[in-house]
Amino acid sequence: MDTLTTGFQNNAPVRQEDLLVNGEAVVIVDDDPLIREPIRLFLTDCGMRVLEADSGARFHELLDTENIALALLDIGLPDVDGQQILPHIKERHPDTVVVMLTGSSDLQTALDCLRGGADDFIAKPASLSEIMRIAKKNLEKRRLIIQNRKYQEDLENANFRISLMHQLAAKMNSVYLNTVQLDEILQAILVGITANEGLRFNRAFLALIDEKEHVLQGRLAIGPGCREEADKIWGELQAKELNFFEIVDHVRTCNIDNENHGLNRLIKNLTVPTSDTGNILIHSALERKSIKVDGTIKSGFDLSWVCGFLGTDEFVVVPLYSPRRSLGVIIADNFITRRPISDGYLGALEFFSSQASLAIEHSMLYMDMEKTIAKLESLNYELDKNKDMLIEAERFSALGHMAAQLVHNIRNPITAVGGIARILAKKGGPEQAKYTDVMNKEISRLESTLEELFDFVSHAEVNKEEVQFYPLLQKVFLLLQADTNKHNIEVSLDFPEPDITLQIDQKLIRQMLVHLFKNAIEAMPDGGLMKVVVTRESAWLTIRIRNTGNMIDDEQIRKAKEPFYTTKSYGTGMGLTMVDRIVRAHMGNFTIGRHDTSTEVLVKLPL
């Protein structure tokens, strides 16, 4: 059972050896040595520590320097009236029992002393046994009051711990714990271990075993680094009159501001491999056993390193664990006050560690769930992507099969008709030539359409080689120069220096550029500006082609790459589909959009 809550049970009588503890003493305050001496000898023979004072001034000195449990105070002192100093004694030393000594047996005097704060009254002369009886009775009463007060404090602290654990559990049940939320709850637990309402340990450290269970790594710490710092911290908290959760917020803010200072830096330097089973921290974590170190060397453990790390040889180690695995340890000590750590405090600390274990396990399960969800989302994305690619491949396969049949069945008749038209044009007159010219133009258009269909259905292998890009681009412009001149189109070229070398299929890239430039020219039948900008962007070569023709709308952007979609009165709509296929075959990107008042085509090829 927790000894914090069992100091007084069932109103059991106080043993005589418990009347004065921890160096407490009885002081006889009287200016007459003939009265003091026999009382002193008698009380000393009864096992009490006895001091003497012959004046009020000397009495005050003893009160300030000694642990006075009971004062036998004469009313008539040479320098002060005993009754006058009663309020002062009770105000500054409320736990000191005062029994007044007086040579008068007057009832009124006795009542005045009791009203002034005296605990009892003895009229001189009195027998030594009577003095002992009254002293013992008042010391028993004092001890019972102190024990009951301590019992009440322990009940309040136990209620605080239960309430705190309930609030933390409610918070864990209402939120999913990410790393930040986990740290906040762990900090609240460590504050509970060190707070005045909690276990009152001076310092608390938390270390966790990593996910792969290879290393015990320091995580959080609460407490002062030295006595001066402790006085400052405790003084600030007392002055601010903060409640528990305000202290938690205060500590969290201080830890953020001083992450690399004091105990935070100390605990972050704690790293112990889990393979070191002879280490006291690893042993406690893996064996799930609490260990109390009280200055004696425990068999099997070398405590020199951990005592040096903490700066003390008195501390407790409590394991953190879940049904699945060992999680880490909490280390607590009284580095500043040097107060002994009782088994009751160790049991209460285990209560806090169970809540910390629950929070850590809750957080780990949530993190695992998030990782699983991320993997499933990634897998689902890949499945959707592959499904779309499969549907697109099936559609292109059907289109390709149909186009291949069309090319095969139409090309030979068209070629024959074209040959006959040319023969008729040579043999006929001027009137007939008008009709044969129309036939030739339309046959040429059909042959061009068939060529596009053939290019679309043919899956020529990509043969990459190192190619100087600028000369290739300039050759394409030379091919189309007649068209740009015919339509009064101004061409602006913006190339970076020096030239860029690419690993590409020269034939396919030339085919792609010809089609894109022809599209830009055909969009400006009445003239305009075609601007070509080539830039290096990280690991990409970016080609921007802008024209000032009719602005492309959202519907056209969305459908531009679809086979057989075209806004022209002639053509197959295969051109941009073929461009997209060529760019993707080179692991690049092809997009169509708007830039200011221009239509912009963007091609990105890997360098």
Side-chain angles (χ1 to χ4, degrees):
M1 185 178 291
D2 190 339
T3 58
L4 288 176
T5 60
T6 58
F8 172 65
Q9 300 175 18
N10 301 325
N11 291 325
V14 179
R15 298 174 299 174
Q16 181 161 322
E17 58 267 29
D18 293 334
L19 293 176
L20 298 177
V21 296
N22 299 326
E24 291 177 334
V26 174
V27 61
I28 306 168
V29 187
D30 199 302
D31 60 338
D32 189 348
L34 296 178
I35 293 177
R36 297 197 310 268
E37 184 65 17
I39 297 175
R40 182 183 66 79
L41 292 173
F42 184 78
L43 295 181
T44 301
D45 288 342
C46 292
M48 295 184 179
R49 178 171 176 251
V50 183
L51 303 174
E52 296 180 53
D54 58 1
S55 65
R58 176 58 181 160
F59 179 38
H60 282 299
E61 289 179 11
L62 291 175
L63 285 173
D64 292 336
T65 58
E66 298 286 346
N67 190 0
I68 304 300
L70 180 142
L72 298 172
L73 177 61
D74 186 21
I75 289 181
L77 295 174
D79 58 344
V80 69
D81 186 332
Q83 282 184 280
Q84 292 178 352
I85 63 174
L86 271 175
H88 175 74
I89 297 170
K90 286 300 179 180
E91 180 182 352
R92 294 189 57 187
H93 306 280
D95 288 335
T96 297
V97 175
V98 179
V99 177
M100 301 302 296
L101 297 175
T102 178
S104 171
S105 58
D106 179 49
L107 179 61
Q108 186 60 45
T109 303
L111 291 175
D112 290 342
C113 290
L114 294 175
R115 291 191 188 102
D119 295 277
D120 213 330
F121 181 92
I122 297 176
K124 296 184 289 186
S127 66
L128 294 175
S129 60
E130 177 66 10
I131 293 173
M132 180 61 187
R133 184 188 68 78
I134 293 175
K136 184 178 178 181
K137 180 189 71 172
N138 282 281
L139 285 174
E140 285 179 348
K141 178 182 175 183
R142 171 182 181 269
R143 182 57 54 193
L144 290 175
I145 290 172
I146 291 174
Q147 288 177 336
N148 281 331
R149 186 171 65 212
K150 184 68 169 64
Y151 182 53
Q152 182 64 30
E153 289 178 359
D154 292 340
L155 284 177
E156 291 176 357
N157 290 340
N159 181 64
F160 162 78
R161 294 196 295 269
I162 294 171
S163 175
L164 172 61
M165 295 298 102
H166 174 74
Q167 292 183 60
L168 295 177
K171 183 174 182 180
M172 284 186 287
N173 290 332
S174 63
V175 300
Y176 295 108
L177 297 182
N178 57 32
T179 303
V180 174
Q181 290 167 328
L182 174 63
D183 281 349
E184 289 179 359
I185 288 182
L186 294 178
Q187 276 184 338
I189 291 170
L190 293 186
V191 171
I193 294 171
T194 56
N196 191 54
E197 302 98 322
L199 299 187
R200 302 183 183 179
F201 281 95
N202 294 168
R203 305 187 303 180
F205 305 84
L206 184 140
L208 298 181
I209 296 175
D210 69 334
E211 189 175 343
K212 296 181 179 179
E213 301 187 19
H214 292 162
V215 174
L216 178 71
Q217 179 67 55
R219 179 74 171 267
L220 292 172
I222 296 288
C226 61
R227 181 174 294 277
E228 292 74 18
E229 185 181 349
D231 292 340
K232 179 182 177 183
I233 292 173
W234 294 336
E236 288 178 355
L237 295 180
Q238 188 174 9
K240 293 178 180 178
E241 298 182 350
L242 304 178
N243 62 35
F244 174 78
F245 285 101
E246 288 173 338
I247 293 175
V248 172
D249 290 336
H250 176 79
V251 170
R252 180 170 58 84
T253 304
C254 289
N255 281 349
I256 292 171
D257 294 339
N258 302 285
E259 187 173 347
N260 296 316
H261 296 84
L263 291 191
N264 289 299
R265 182 174 57 187
L266 181 67
I267 192 62
K268 295 290 176 62
N269 290 331
L270 176 65
T271 303
V272 185
T274 54
S275 57
D276 186 5
T277 54
N279 184 286
I280 188 172
L281 303 184
I282 300 299
H283 180 82
S284 174
L286 298 184
E287 296 298 323
R288 303 184 178 185
K289 293 180 179 178
S290 298
I291 301 174
K292 181 171 72 171
V293 177
D294 56 6
T296 61
I297 302 298
K298 288 188 174 290
S299 176
F301 298 120
D302 177 12
L303 299 179
S304 57
W305 78 271
V306 69
C307 291
F309 176 82
L310 296 174
T312 179
D313 59 0
E314 295 188 13
F315 57 91
V316 289
V317 183
V318 177
L320 302 168
Y321 57 88
S322 71
R324 297 190 307 157
R325 54 170 289 199
S326 297
L327 302 173
V329 293
I330 288 177
I331 310 164
D333 64 33
N334 289 323
F335 174 73
I336 304 299
T337 62
R338 303 294 181 184
R339 176 170 56 88
I341 302 172
S342 69
D343 292 339
Y345 275 92
L346 179 57
L349 181 57
E350 290 173 336
F351 183 61
F352 274 81
S353 70
S354 65
Q355 197 71 15
S357 298
L358 181 61
I360 296 166
E361 176 72 1
H362 194 139
S363 176
M364 287 181 172
L365 290 174
Y366 175 63
M367 298 296 185
D368 290 343
M369 181 182 70
E370 277 196 326
K371 290 178 182 177
T372 302
I373 290 174
K375 289 179 181 177
L376 289 174
E377 288 177 345
S378 177
L379 181 61
N380 187 57
Y381 172 77
E382 290 296 326
L383 287 173
D384 286 343
K385 185 178 177 181
N386 290 337
K387 181 184 72 175
D388 293 340
M389 291 173 64
L390 182 61
I391 292 172
E392 184 180 7
E394 289 178 349
R395 185 174 62 175
F396 280 167
S397 176
L399 290 173
H401 181 73
M402 179 186 70
Q405 293 295 323
L406 286 172
V407 170
H408 177 72
N409 292 328
I410 296 175
R411 173 172 281 177
N412 289 339
I414 288 296
T415 302
V417 172
I420 293 172
R422 284 188 286 274
I423 292 172
L424 291 175
K426 291 178 182 179
K427 293 184 176 181
E431 186 65 24
Q432 194 174 3
K434 290 191 298 183
Y435 300 106
T436 56
D437 285 343
V438 173
M439 291 176 63
N440 283 324
K441 287 180 181 178
E442 295 304 319
I443 288 170
S444 295
R445 185 177 296 175
L446 283 173
E447 288 176 338
S448 175
T449 299
L450 289 175
E451 186 67 27
E452 286 190 9
L453 284 171
F454 179 76
D455 289 338
F456 175 75
V457 300
S458 64
H459 294 276
E461 184 179 348
V462 178
N463 297 312
K464 293 184 180 180
E465 57 182 333
E466 283 196 1
V467 176
Q468 297 290 325
F469 184 67
Y470 295 166
L472 173 63
L473 203 57
Q474 289 165 350
K475 288 178 183 177
V476 172
F477 274 115
L478 287 174
L479 288 174
L480 301 173
Q481 189 171 10
D483 291 335
T484 58
N485 292 337
K486 177 181 177 182
H487 294 285
N488 295 318
I489 293 173
E490 181 185 350
V491 178
S492 171
L493 304 178
D494 186 359
F495 300 164
E497 295 294 341
D499 195 1
I500 299 172
T501 302
L502 298 176
Q503 284 281 344
I504 56 175
D505 185 314
Q506 187 171 194
K507 178 182 176 183
L508 292 178
I509 295 298
R510 181 169 59 244
Q511 185 179 358
M512 174 202 76
L513 292 172
V514 167
H515 190 86
L516 291 177
F517 293 153
K518 285 184 68 176
N519 263 13
I521 292 169
E522 290 168 358
M524 297 180 287
D526 300 323
L529 172 65
M530 180 171 66
K531 186 174 184 179
V532 180
V533 180
V534 180
T535 57
R536 290 174 181 264
E537 296 180 7
S538 187
W540 298 92
L541 172 72
T542 302
I543 309 164
R544 289 181 172 82
I545 305 171
R546 298 168 185 164
N547 70 77
T548 56
N550 295 329
M551 181 67 70
I552 190 170
D553 59 32
D554 292 337
E555 180 71 10
Q556 291 170 339
I557 291 174
R558 188 175 63 84
K559 293 185 175 182
K561 300 178 187 178
E562 293 184 4
F564 304 114
Y565 174 78
T566 182
T567 58
K568 303 172 186 176
S569 57
Y570 60 88
T572 61
M574 289 295 184
L576 293 180
T577 305
M578 179 193 67
V579 168
D580 186 50
R581 179 185 292 179
I582 292 172
V583 173
R584 284 196 292 173
H586 285 78
M587 308 303 291
N589 297 316
F590 167 53
T591 57
I592 301 172
R594 293 183 291 269
H595 178 77
D596 295 334
T597 58
S598 304
T599 299
E600 179 180 77
V601 171
L602 182 65
V603 176
K604 299 181 75 172
L605 298 173
L607 290 173

